Amino acid sequence: MPTSPLPPTAWAVLGLLSFPPGERTGYELKKWADASLRFFYGSPAFSQIYAELRRLERLGYATSRRSGPEEPRTKRTYAITRAGRDALASWAADDRDPAAVSLRHPVLLRVWLGHLAAPGRLRTLVEEHVARVEGELKEVRDAAARAEGVEAWAHPQIALRWSERHLAAEVELAQGMLADLDALPASPEVNADGDAPTTG
């Protein structure tokens, strides 16, 4: 078991450091998180990444060093330590039940409240969601293509392929919502108070 309890995001940041080539700057960690982690877990903000890196350093799970005067711009790079790799391996192999997957779907919440919305606006909202997810689907396919054939990224490739299937399913589900919306009987437009407008 890990010697110190940490939030999942800390383990995610430490996990980013466990992949070759080894040392990475906070900026590079953020780019890697945006290209991989965000499709299935979420990409921490820069401030969160640096806060976790400081915590990991205090625990002895990571080290950092500043670049020398030969560098055009001073930067700090981080690397995982042996203790950090051992703790990460222990956490990854933990056989206790992980937390349940939490689904928070803002678009679906608005569809749930569709009796308060103009039908046309609700359909547009779902169509915009489909377009947004299709864009993310292209990005995850591009990321998977970049990782293809890189032996050290074999397991991230599995996560990316899962993310691709997940996003493709989300597109299909959202298109199903559009069909369900189209099948609803016509209803009058509603105003901000939830009342149908009067005539006459």
Side-chain angles (χ1 to χ4, degrees), residues 19 32 35-36 139-161:
F19 290 96
W32 179 219
S36 178
E139 290 180 23
V140 78
R141 285 171 174 163
D142 290 344
R146 289 193 297 271
E148 188 69 32
V150 181
E151 184 178 353
W153 293 351
H155 291 92
Q157 285 177 58
I158 293 174
L160 287 171
R161 285 195 291 270

Side-chain angles (χ1 to χ4, degrees), residues 175-198:
Q175 289 171 338
M177 274 200 292
L178 289 172
D180 289 341
L181 289 172
D182 289 342
L184 290 175
S187 60
E189 299 285 320
V190 294
N191 59 30
D193 297 321
D195 300 321
T198 58

Side-chain angles (χ1 to χ4, degrees), residues 7-44:
T9 300
W11 294 116
V13 172
L14 189 60
L16 291 170
L17 289 174
S18 71
F19 290 96
E23 289 188 330
R24 283 188 171 90
T25 64
Y27 174 75
E28 289 168 335
L29 290 172
K30 175 61 175 170
K31 283 186 63 179
W32 179 219
D34 286 347
S36 178
L37 269 181
R38 79 175 178 91
F39 295 114
F40 57 89
Y41 180 76
S43 181

Side-chain angles (χ1 to χ4, degrees), residues 87-174:
L88 182 63
S90 178
W91 180 82
D94 191 348
D95 59 2
R96 293 179 300 176
D97 290 337
V101 175
S102 175
L103 175 63
R104 294 184 178 180
H105 201 307
V107 173
L108 198 54
L109 180 60
R110 285 168 172 79
V111 171
W112 182 66
L113 295 170
H115 60 290
L116 302 176
R121 175 56 192 145
L122 197 59
R123 196 180 201 290
T124 299
L125 184 71
V126 178
E127 288 172 340
E128 290 170 348
H129 174 63
V130 170
R132 185 165 53 249
V133 176
E134 286 176 336
E136 291 179 355
L137 183 57
K138 181 183 182 304
E139 290 180 23
V140 78
R141 285 171 174 163
D142 290 344
R146 289 193 297 271
E148 188 69 32
V150 181
E151 184 178 353
W153 293 351
H155 291 92
Q157 285 177 58
I158 293 174
L160 287 171
R161 285 195 291 270
W162 177 92
S163 300
E164 179 182 357
R165 292 190 292 269
H166 173 75
L167 290 169
E170 177 64 23
V171 170
E172 183 178 351
L173 290 168

